[in-house]
Each structure stands twice: as C-alpha cells, then as structure tokens.
Amino acid sequence: MSKLISIDTHDVRFPTSRTLDGSDAVNVDPDYSAAYVTISTDTGETGHSLVFTGGRGNEIVTRAMQSYGAVLHGRDADELLNDLGAASRLLVHDSQLRWLGPEKGVAHMACGGLVNALWDLRARRAAKPLWLLLAEMPPEDIVRTVDFTHIRNVLTPEEAVEILYRAEPGKAARIDELRQHGYPAYTTAPGWLGYSDEKLVRLCREAVAEGFRMIKLKVGGELAADRRRMKLARDVVGPDVKIGIDANQRWEVDEAITWVNTLGDFDPWWIEEPTSTDDILGHRQIRRGVSPIRVATGEAVANRIVFKQLLQAEAIDVMQIDATRVAGVNENIANLLLAAKFGVPVCPHAGGVGLCELVQHFSFFDYAAVSGVIGDRMIEYVGHLHEHFVAPAVVRDGRYRAPGTAGIGAEMLPESLNTWSYPDGPGWRELDDQTTQSTKDRD
Amino acid sequence: MSKLISIDTHDVRFPTSRTLDGSDAVNVDPDYSAAYVTISTDTGETGHSLVFTGGRGNEIVTRAMQSYGAVLHGRDADELLNDLGAASRLLVHDSQLRWLGPEKGVAHMACGGLVNALWDLRARRAAKPLWLLLAEMPPEDIVRTVDFTHIRNVLTPEEAVEILYRAEPGKAARIDELRQHGYPAYTTAPGWLGYSDEKLVRLCREAVAEGFRMIKLKVGGELAADRRRMKLARDVVGPDVKIGIDANQRWEVDEAITWVNTLGDFDPWWIEEPTSTDDILGHRQIRRGVSPIRVATGEAVANRIVFKQLLQAEAIDVMQIDATRVAGVNENIANLLLAAKFGVPVCPHAGGVGLCELVQHFSFFDYAAVSGVIGDRMIEYVGHLHEHFVAPAVVRDGRYRAPGTAGIGAEMLPESLNTWSYPDGPGWRELDDQTTQSTKDRD
C-alpha cells in the first residue's frame, strides 16, 4: 500500500501576450499558462498534470485544485489507481463541491487536472505512454473508467464495450503503424490575428514546406481583413492544402452564417467555434447554413453532456476535444466513444501550453482502439513553448510522432517551473524590470 | 468622483448538514454557505453581495471574487454605476479570465457576486430596494444593462425595449398592489429528503396553516419512499394545494419519464431538475414524456444562452432563475426578458442562504415592469437562516412582503459574519470542540 501524501500546485505563466502568439478575435492577449499539479505518494512516486488557462485566473484553478486535492489527500494510491472511474466520481460528484459546476468551468477543470495526474502516475507505473496504456486495456476496463451519468440515453456501457470490441481486430497492426508513421497534424502557427500579412505568408509557406496538409487561420476581427488574409493564405498553400478557419465564438448565429459564406470563395475546410459553444441549437442552424463547409467545436465545450447533444442535434461535423477542459482522461474517453457512435471525426484542440503534449494521446488511442480510422482526422499543432517539457511533442513531416515516454506528457522541466512561476519567478521579474526601465527611458 | 478602493471577501458557512436542512437526492449534506463580498469607495459608501454555495468550495468562489475584483479596483465608482452594462462586460468578457468559463461555473458566479455588489451600491444611492429601482428605470436604460451576446438570434435589444413598453400601462398600480399584497410564495420547508415522515407531515400541515398554496418535496432517492412521502403530503394538504417535486438532476432521461409518471397519481404540479440542466434535448424529451406534469429548471442553468435554448426547444414550462448562479442582476434581466418573450412563467429558486432575500426582487420587478402578470408564478421560500440578514425576507400568509430596504438584500449582520466565518469563527470552533468532546466521550 502507498498513500497520496502531497498535492502541490504551481501557477506557471508565459508572457505570450508580448508577441501576440495565440491571439484571436476573442482571446486578444493571452499569456499561455498552466495551473500545474504534482501528486506524490509516500513511496516516492509522482504524477504530473496541468490545466491550461489564458493567464489571469490561473490562480483560481490552482486554488481549486488544492480544494479538490483535499478529497484525495491521504487516500490509498493503489485503490485510486486501480479504479480511476471511482476516483473521478469522488471528485466530480463530491456532494458539496458539485454546486460549483455542476461539471463545468473552473471546478471541472480542477477535477480534470487531478484525474490526469492520477493517470500519469498509473502510466508511469506501467512504464507506458498514456495512449499505449489505454490501447492495451481490455474494453471492459476502459468502459469502467467512464462516467455514463446523463449520457445513458445516447450511449450505454454495453454499447461502449461493443464499440471497443469492434476495434479489436487489427489493433496491434495499427499500434505498429502509429509507431512507425505517427498521426497527421495541422498547424495554427501562421494564423494568429496579431500577425502581419508578411508573417502570415511566410509562415504559410513554411508550413507547407514542413509537410503540413492543413493550416488554420483565426478570423472574426474584420470581414475585409479576413478575406484578404484568407486569399493570401490560399494563394500560398495552393488548392490542395486544407485551411481551417476559427472564430473563437465571436459571432451571433446569423452573423456566422453570412460571414462564413462570404469566405466560401477561398474554400475553407471547416469553421471552428462560430458562436458560443453552449449554443447547441445555434450550431445546428449554422451547420445547415454554411454546408458544405464543416462546423467544428469543442475546446470550450464544458462536458460530455454538451458533446452528446451537439452530436444528437447533428450540429457539428468535427469534435475538438480538449485535454484540460473536461474532467480528465475518463471524460475524454466518453467523448471519443460518443464520437465513434455517431461516426464524427475527432480533431483535438492543442492551442495552448502543454496541450499538444497531452492531447496527442487521445488521437493515438482513438486510432488504435476506438474509431480505428484516421481519414481526415488531424491533431492541431502549435509550435511554441515545447521546450519547457520533459518529453516535448514531436512533429515531423506534418505528423505527430508516437509519444514513447511513460505518462501523460505534462511534466515540465524544474527550471521552467521556476523561471516562469507567477508572479515571482525570475523570468517575470526580469520582464518587470525591463518594463520599469523602458518607462524610465521614456521619462 | 469616487473610487472603488476595496473589495473584501468573507467565507461564511452555516452547519446545516448537521440537521439535514437542505438535503436532497444529490446534495445530501450541504452546509449552506455564502461567498460574501463588500465593496467600498473612498467616500465611505459600501455595496454588499454574496454567492451561495453548498459548503466545500466556498473558498474557491471567494478567491475568484478577489481575482475578478482586481478588474474593478481603483476604478471610478460613478462611471461603473452609471453604466452597469459596461461594468458587467468588463468582468464577464475579460480577455484572459474568459477562458475559465466562458460564462459558467465559478468564474461566472464570481462575476455575478461583484456585479450584484455594484447594483447594491447603486440601489443604496437611490435609496430604493432593487426591485423598485428597476421597475422605475426607463425601458431603454434597463435594456442597456443587458448583454445580448449570443442571444440576439432570439431576442434583440429592440424587442426587449418593446416588451418593457408593453408593460408600462398599469405599472404604477401594480407597484401599489405589490406594496399592499406582496407576491405569492411556495415553501420547500417540509420536503427535504433527510426528514422523517412525521416531520414531513407536521411541516406540511404547518405550511397549509401558514397560508402556502404550494409546497415542494425532494424526490429521486427511492421510488417506493417517494410514493409514500408524496401520498402522505397529498393527504395532508388536500387536492387544492400544489405539490412541486424536485429531483435535483438525479435521473437519466428515460428514468425521469418513468419515475415522474409513477408519481402522477398524486398530481404533482411540476417536476424540477429531472436531469442534468445542461441537457436541453433531454429536457425536451422529458417534457413530452410527462405532460401534463410541468417541467421546471434553472437553479443550475449556467447562463442566458442555455435558458434561451430551453425556451427555443420548448423544453420547460417554468423558468427558475437563481440570483447568484449567473452574472448578476443584468443577466437575470435578460432571463426575465427571454421568459416574457416566450410567455413562460418565472418562479425563482431560493433554497440556500440569502437567496430568498435576493431573488424576491426579480419577481417583484417582473410583475411590475416585465411580464405584468402573476398567474401561477410563485417565489420559493425556505424558512431558515434569515436571522443573519440586516433586512430578512418577510413571508406572511404565504406571500412575500415587498422589500422596503434600500439595496439588493444581501447584507449580513456583522455578528453573523464573524460567528460563522469558516473555519475560524467562534461558531465553527464551538462545533469542533463539541465534536472533539463527543469523540473523547466515546473513547
């Protein structure tokens, strides 16, 4: 027996707003940040995880992880790891904490952070990367980790087991294939709203040269600018490279339909987050109004219950799961199973710090053991901040390489944690000094 | 000019779990709690507000209010109060904090707490209770406070102004009527799941004697027990008093339909929260499956965008707004306007500390200046913890009396704040001592 004896959190932020990396129509100045958590046992094992945020408010998520951490503290680690379904329910359905969601926002993200740290510990024990650990679990064991509360009308545990058994034939061969060839990626690097046209063109050219078959542009600022940028991008990448466009929930329903159709000349592959992700009926209407342009959403979808309805309502063509928005690995397994049931492709969201590292595991697992197909599926890739991770995501020739390091991929380098601790890490202090200096220089 | 110079928060909790007041099928042991906030100006004015929670996690909401408070700190109070629409948008749409929701859960509740504190300050300046302040505002000014983001496809500002103008005739007479006769209440006092049958019967009898025309029972534990309790209650209150039943999101969709229909023998007036409040399509199916029993929900509805869809989908018969779940007065005005557009009655939720005090204002305002009708509308009433408020809600003969004290009603007595400060207030210390003592006695 080993016991969980500490749950340590760190508020880590990167000053991305100074270069406008990550800027879009709604998130105009994000400082990509991680509410980082390390859980430890009395036998010296550790599990690492993080929740991505946009900067301000990162301290609220770390506080929430401390609060939820009290639910786990002192418990038998073996028991928790042997039944991660029960562990997740302990957190998500805590009878008092539940009021704070239920199952959404800060509270749910905090649960996800802790659940993922437990999965990290379990994968380390098994000496496997998460995707392989999952791919090799028996279907019944996978399904036991899933919380079917409020999705049973659309997916029962029995159906879920069936879906997984249907993917058993050929699984070993697909795992080999993934190890050899990886999984397709698309890149958002060229398309941030804060970039100049010159930078956009240069990055589009580089993306194609690097082997990407899809890029993404942020839209929703000004229509004329979107048309100009979309034309520039299309001219550079040619007709065969897909261009996704992403409005980050900027529009009302009718506005979305008009705007997207106006960009139709440049053949966008999908429109992502055309409106509030809470608006299931709005997405359905938009999908009907912009067809054949696909509708994608998910990075801000609060939980499996909302995804369930987006699928029931035929409101999306592409499900974009996020690794740290929902209650961790378990709930994303539910999301993958729902998508498989409806035959909707999953293309994970990764625009943020650590998200590439985490979310790749779900697509690898999906191909190996859930949907069993790749087709047009791709994982988002954003090329910055990987240097802070112990095992950075690797993309070559436009494809994610199979992660080989044991765990879920969230572990950061101690030096990065230290340098970018907010607000007192040396990185932030230096920036503050520069700001002070440049203010003085102006005086 | 006056400046906002402090935003102080208190974590206040009441040990209601020890008596099972407030217990239901999901919230089995709530300690009714308030994340309490006081804002102050440099001219000595104060505004008070609170966010209700179930106990654990109250500290997360107070932390979140401190974080959001930084957005307001040092600003010109007159500017904020003169344009509360803009003030709300500053908080809700902060470009970095927004990721934590968007517009849901802890982050949204924290925004609501601060927005309500600003309204409290404004109402105190006007020397009016909130409902009267709102009822006397010109329609254009009310509409200017509302954030129409992501609801414009169903309600435009122009339509909202029209709705309010339609209610202008007779407004003065309705205000007089409210002052004389108040507004109907129903009581949840008899129906908590933790109560014995004897206590249930006694409290049902008392409720009728006190003039209530509707009571509410918690259901969703065991079907046989629900049938027994429902029969007991119906026998006591007779055929003319309405009985609402409330499952607190306990069921799956099909289960809800079967369970509710099995209780149909006892003529329930509505079924409240039959399943996840995120499940718009599920509510629609349940409503079709249990008709003519009404479907009610709202205390856990995250925002106006979800309410919009519940109305669009004809998924609810009754909208139950909550005073501290959404982003404050402004968003509840949006909710009232949406309900008025669809002709759906609003019966606010008040099971929690301070919620009766706060939410009554919305129903009074609704009758005076929005829907202009009462009909079957009622405000929930729960009879405990009122003694902690400076101006407690008053219910007599089954009706809320018109609040007369300036402000929104959230101000608590300094002694209560002190006694029940968590975890170090004298009330909690004494309870801890008793627990320690009784443990020692057992040894």
Side-chain angles (χ1 to χ4, degrees), chain A residues 140-168:
Chain A
E140 290 82 358
D141 288 1
I142 291 177
V143 170
R144 245 191 303 279
T145 69
V146 172
D147 185 351
F148 286 87
T149 307
H150 296 150
I151 59 171
R152 280 172 206 267
N153 61 324
V154 162
L155 182 73
T156 63
E158 295 72 29
E159 281 177 289
V161 168
E162 263 174 51
I163 288 169
L164 294 171
Y165 268 109
R166 276 205 296 278
E168 285 285 301

Side-chain angles (χ1 to χ4, degrees), chain B residues 283-291 295 313-314:
Chain B
H283 274 78
R284 180 172 61 182
Q285 196 180 330
I286 292 167
R287 182 169 180 244
R288 289 176 183 170
V290 305
S291 174
V295 171
E314 300 183 354

Side-chain angles (χ1 to χ4, degrees), chain B residues 112-180:
Chain B
L114 295 173
V115 168
N116 284 344
L118 289 171
W119 277 99
D120 189 55
L121 198 50
R122 175 155 165 186
R124 283 165 194 269
R125 278 191 177 184
K128 285 179 189 163
L130 175 69
W131 72 273
L132 191 62
L133 174 75
L134 293 174
E136 294 180 351
M137 275 168 72
E140 290 81 359
D141 288 0
I142 291 177
V143 169
R144 244 191 303 279
T145 68
V146 172
D147 185 352
F148 286 87
T149 307
H150 296 150
I151 59 170
R152 279 172 206 267
N153 62 324
V154 161
L155 182 72
T156 62
E158 296 72 29
E159 281 177 290
V161 168
E162 263 174 50
I163 288 169
L164 294 171
Y165 268 110
R166 276 205 296 278
E168 285 285 301
K171 190 166 81 172
R174 290 195 299 275
I175 291 174
D176 277 349
E177 186 194 331
L178 286 165
R179 281 179 165 143
Q180 282 186 38

Side-chain angles (χ1 to χ4, degrees), chain B residues 185-205:
Chain B
Y186 75 87
T187 177
T188 307
W192 303 107
L193 270 195
Y195 289 177
S196 68
D197 287 356
E198 290 67 31
K199 190 164 180 180
L200 167 74
V201 166
R202 174 168 58 79
L203 292 173
C204 283
R205 192 165 291 135

Side-chain angles (χ1 to χ4, degrees), chain A residues 29 56 59 67 95-96 99 101 104 150 152 249 252 276 278-281 303 308-309 325, chain B residues 29 56 59 63 67 95-96 99 101 104 150 152 249 252 276 278-281 303 308-309 325:
Chain A
D29 59 351
R56 282 189 293 280
E59 74 284 6
S67 293
S95 61
Q96 294 191 352
W99 186 263
K104 55 181 66 69
H150 296 150
R152 280 172 206 267
Q249 312 188 43
E252 301 297 311
S276 165
D278 296 337
D279 198 348
I280 293 145
L281 303 179
N303 56 44
K308 173 188 81 170
Q309 294 174 84
R325 173 74 69 182
Chain B
D29 59 352
R56 281 188 294 280
E59 74 284 6
R63 183 68 192 82
S67 292
S95 61
Q96 294 191 351
W99 185 263
K104 55 181 66 68
H150 296 150
R152 279 172 206 267
Q249 312 188 44
E252 301 297 310
S276 165
D278 296 337
D279 198 348
I280 293 145
L281 303 179
N303 56 43
K308 172 188 80 170
Q309 294 174 83
R325 173 73 69 182

Side-chain angles (χ1 to χ4, degrees), chain A residues 13 17 26-31 52-61 63-65 67-68 71 93-107 109 148-153 248-254 274-282 284-285 299-300 302-303 305-306 308-310 312-313 322 324-325 349 351 355, chain B residues 13 17 26-31 52-61 63-65 67-68 71 93-107 109 148-153 248-254 274-282 284-285 299-300 302-303 305-306 308-310 312-313 322 324-325 349 351 355:
Chain A
R13 309 190 193 187
S17 64
V26 170
N27 309 294
V28 293
D29 59 351
D31 283 329
F52 167 67
T53 80
R56 282 189 293 280
N58 203 48
E59 74 284 6
I60 304 173
V61 181
R63 183 67 191 83
M65 287 202 293
S67 293
Y68 276 94
V71 176
H93 297 296
D94 178 273
S95 61
Q96 294 191 352
L97 288 159
R98 196 173 176 284
W99 186 263
L100 304 180
E103 301 196 49
K104 55 181 66 69
V106 168
M109 293 157 90
F148 286 87
T149 307
H150 296 150
I151 59 171
R152 280 172 206 267
N153 61 324
N248 290 86
Q249 312 188 43
R250 182 68 177 69
W251 298 318
E252 301 297 311
V253 172
D254 294 335
T275 194
S276 165
T277 35
D278 296 337
D279 198 348
I280 293 145
L281 303 179
R284 180 172 62 182
Q285 196 180 331
E299 72 188 57
N303 56 44
I305 303 158
V306 179
K308 173 188 81 170
Q309 294 174 84
L310 286 165
Q312 281 180 291
D322 180 279
T324 76
R325 173 74 69 182
H349 166 249
L355 295 183
Chain B
R13 308 190 192 186
S17 63
V26 170
N27 309 296
V28 293
D29 59 352
D31 282 330
F52 167 66
T53 81
R56 281 188 294 280
N58 203 48
E59 74 284 6
I60 304 174
V61 181
R63 183 68 192 82
M65 287 201 294
S67 292
Y68 276 94
V71 175
H93 297 296
D94 177 274
S95 61
Q96 294 191 351
L97 287 159
R98 195 174 177 283
W99 185 263
L100 305 180
E103 301 196 50
K104 55 181 66 68
V106 168
M109 291 156 91
F148 286 87
T149 307
H150 296 150
I151 59 170
R152 279 172 206 267
N153 62 324
N248 289 86
Q249 312 188 44
R250 183 70 177 70
W251 298 318
E252 301 297 310
V253 172
D254 294 336
T275 193
S276 165
T277 33
D278 296 337
D279 198 348
I280 293 145
L281 303 179
R284 180 172 61 182
Q285 196 180 330
E299 72 187 56
N303 56 43
I305 303 157
V306 179
K308 172 188 80 170
Q309 294 174 83
L310 287 164
Q312 282 181 290
D322 181 278
T324 76
R325 173 73 69 182
H349 166 248
L355 295 183

